[in-house]
Every structure is written in C-alpha cells, then in structure tokens.
Amino acid sequence: MTLNPHLELSPEVAQAHEQGRPLVALESTIISHGMPYPQNVQTAREVEATVRAHGAVPATIAVLDGKIRVGLNDAQLELLGRSSDALKLSRRDLPYALVSGKVGATTVAATMICAHLAGIQVFVTGGIGGVHRGAETSFDISADLQELARTPVAVVCAGAKSILDLGLTLEYLETQGVPVIAREQDEFAAFFSRSSGLKADFRMDEAADQAAFLRAKWALGLGGGAVISNPVPPEHELPAALIDGYISQALAEARAQGISGKAVTPYLLARIKTLSDGRSLATNIALVLNNARAGAALAAALGADR
Ligand code: PSU
Ligand code: MN
C-alpha cells in the first residue's frame, strides 16, 4: 500500500504495519477539547498502554506541523494536552489544518478518515457525536454520523451522551445504513449510564462475531463504518437522574449564552464536569479504558483473518 503523502506514521505504527500487527486508532479531540489537563494526557497514555496490554498497537491521530500524524510520541501528546488553541478538526477542516500548519485535534469524523488512509479498521473513543436536542430548529447534527455512513472504520464507544437526542441519533444512523452493535446488553449505551432505554440493532458480545459482521459488510461492498456500543462498567456508572440534571442545566446555559456550531459539545462537556464536581471525568476515563480493551480485542480478531 502506498501511503498518502500527507500522512506520517510513528516508528511504532510503521513497524506494526510492516509486521501486520493489529492497530487501533485513537482520537485527539478527546485530549484537547474533551478533558482538562493533566488528566487528558494521563488518560491518553493509559489508553495507549491498555491497547498494548491487550495485544494491539495504538495509533493516536492529530495534525501537527502540516502532517497527519498517526501515532504520537510523549511530547506530541503533551503539546495537544496543554494547547488551549488546538483546532477541533472534522471532515471539512482537515485540509485547512494541513496548509495552515496549526495544531489540530481530530474528532471522530476526522480520525475515521485518517485511520482509513492509514489502513486502520478499528478506532476507540469515549462517545460519538450525534443529533443534538432541538436539531429540528438548530440543524445541529454531528458530522460524525455522516462519516460513519461513508468511511469503513468500526468505532468502539460507550454510546453517546444524553446531551444529544439519542433516539434521533439512532434514527439518523438507521437512515444512513450504519449498524449499531451492542456489547453486554441489548440497549444502546448512554455514555455515563449503561441504559438509554433504546435498543441497539444487534447484540454481539464477542470480538470474533463483531469481526465476522464487519468482514461480511465490507465484502458486500457496503462501505461505511459501524458503531460498537460498549457500556460503562457498572461500578463507574453515574445515576441517570443525577447526570440528567447537570445536562439540563448545561444545555440551558449554552442556549442562554448563544453557544453554537462546533463550540457546543466542548462547552457542554466542560460544564458537566464542573457541575458534577469531577465525577463525570472519572466516569469518562473509566469508560474509555474499557473501550480500549474491547477495541484491541476487535482489532486482533479482524487481523487474525486477513
Ligand atoms: N462526545 C464526548 N466526548 C468528546 C466528543 C464527543 O463524549 O470528546 C468529541 C469527539 O471528538 C466527537 C466530537 O467527534 O466531540 C463531536 O463534536 P460535534 O458535536 O461538534 O460534531
Ligand atoms: Mn455540531
């Protein structure tokens, strides 16, 4: 495979590629916009270590110095974690980040694009973007959903936050032909809580079954990705009633302040963290680590049959 000239693989990722070892992509917006410093950098390192401990090679993705970096070293993770002006990159923003030379953190959408360019089929994150509450007037629907429809990468996540309208998010994914596969339970996971009250499309607990599904999907030429919903471990779950109160308050504040566009999600995440006195952050970290285990297993299962 010839590598796209805008990509730069780290030595670890390049070697894994040559040896045909399973790779797991990781996003960087969760570092720059999703969590505060220094927990963001610590978590990024722990997630990478967890992927390695479970038999796969981590590839955290960001745009630095005009290159799409696939696999970041310690200094690069630290730079992203400390940066207060990193760009939040979705599909539309990637070329700008390359030509401007600015520091850019990739969202789910942009990470999927870069992972696919690098030949990586599995991507682990915390939660995906989705259809926002009130989208019928704001039109705020994350570009993550369109990306799932077009780019062939499986996204392992703890569902989506109920800052979003989860029912509409599932409807949108259905329309776009994106399968939602649930682990451990029949329901789509609700990020801080296991239960969303909404059924996922399929239940597959085993990585081997998820891998077989993906192979069949791609062999049919259907393209696009899939959502693998992995609920937060029960001991780290936050009660839905508690978190719902914080979410309502954060949403009301965002509306009152006229926050719009790509600033909405980072604003809500930061407010919920403050309102919950840091409890949301502890849950967020626990669920990402849990997703790293499931994602490494899936990458290994997919790789085993290449
Ligand atoms: N949801 C989270 N944490 C996050 C994000 C979403 O629980 O960090 C980030 C991801 O990078 C996701 C992006 O791709 O926010 C979605 O932003 P928007 O809603 O503006 O599309
Ligand atoms: Mn949006």
Side-chain angles (χ1 to χ4, degrees):
M1 168 181 156
T2 26
L3 204 60
N4 185 289
H6 293 291
L7 294 192
E8 186 78 33
L9 307 189
S10 72
E12 183 188 17
V13 170
Q15 194 190 40
H17 234 298
E18 271 162 36
Q19 299 175 346
R21 298 187 54 206
L23 279 152
V24 170
L26 300 163
E27 66 156 306
S28 44
T29 294
I30 194 173
I31 303 173
S32 61
H33 293 70
M35 292 184 191
Y37 184 84
Q39 289 94 336
N40 54 2
V41 178
Q42 278 162 14
T43 303
R45 292 193 178 120
E46 275 179 55
V47 170
E48 292 198 345
T50 303
V51 169
R52 287 190 194 99
H54 288 79
V57 175
T60 306
I61 293 175
V63 178
L64 299 170
D65 308 312
K67 286 273 185 191
I68 296 172
R69 309 274 164 184
V70 182
L72 302 183
N73 61 33
D74 257 11
Q76 292 168 327
L77 284 179
E78 187 73 21
L79 174 77
L80 273 163
R82 282 179 181 274
S83 161
S84 55
D85 56 0
L87 303 174
K88 176 182 161 189
L89 308 178
S90 193
R91 166 174 278 266
R92 66 165 180 202
D93 311 296
L94 268 176
Y96 175 73
L98 289 176
V99 299
S100 68
K102 291 182 180 167
V103 174
T106 52
T107 59
V108 168
T111 306
M112 289 179 74
I113 294 168
C114 301
H116 181 54
L117 287 171
I120 303 175
Q121 295 175 308
V122 177
F123 161 30
V124 162
T125 187
I128 54 170
V131 179
H132 281 257
R133 298 192 199 177
E136 64 275 19
T137 49
S138 68
F139 272 42
D140 192 350
I141 300 174
S142 176
D144 293 352
L145 301 185
Q146 271 297 318
E147 208 56 53
L148 279 158
R150 68 200 288 181
T151 300
V153 170
V155 181
V156 181
C157 62
K161 285 200 172 78
S162 47
I163 56 174
L164 304 168
D165 187 320
L166 298 185
L168 291 188
T169 299
L170 290 178
E171 289 292 348
Y172 193 94
L173 290 171
E174 179 189 11
T175 302
Q176 296 291 329
V178 178
V180 178
I181 298 172
R183 295 186 77 243
E184 292 182 11
Q185 59 184 23
D186 294 342
E187 283 183 35
F188 182 51
F191 200 88
F192 296 119
S193 326
R194 292 170 70 85
S195 171
S196 66
L198 300 162
K199 226 174 148 289
D201 303 320
F202 313 106
R203 161 90 183 258
M204 287 177 210
D205 290 7
E206 301 303 325
D209 295 332
Q210 298 154 15
F213 179 102
L214 292 167
R215 272 189 226 112
K217 174 180 163 81
W218 291 330
L220 288 170
L222 295 180
V227 176
I228 312 288
S229 158
N230 190 35
V232 61
E235 65 274 23
H236 296 289
E237 188 174 28
L238 288 180
L242 177 78
I243 204 75
D244 284 351
Y246 301 143
I247 288 171
S248 305
Q249 187 177 337
L251 283 166
E253 290 174 5
R255 242 190 327 270
Q257 294 188 38
I259 311 265
S260 68
K262 68 185 195 179
V264 172
T265 299
Y267 177 86
L268 295 173
L269 299 182
R271 279 305 287 153
I272 292 165
K273 189 221 152 214
T274 304
L275 293 169
S276 72
D277 208 14
R279 286 180 72 188
S280 67
L281 180 59
T283 295
N284 201 339
I285 292 169
L287 65 83
V288 180
L289 293 171
N290 190 49
N291 294 342
R293 292 184 277 271
L298 175 56
L302 268 173
D305 203 52
R306 258 206 293 227

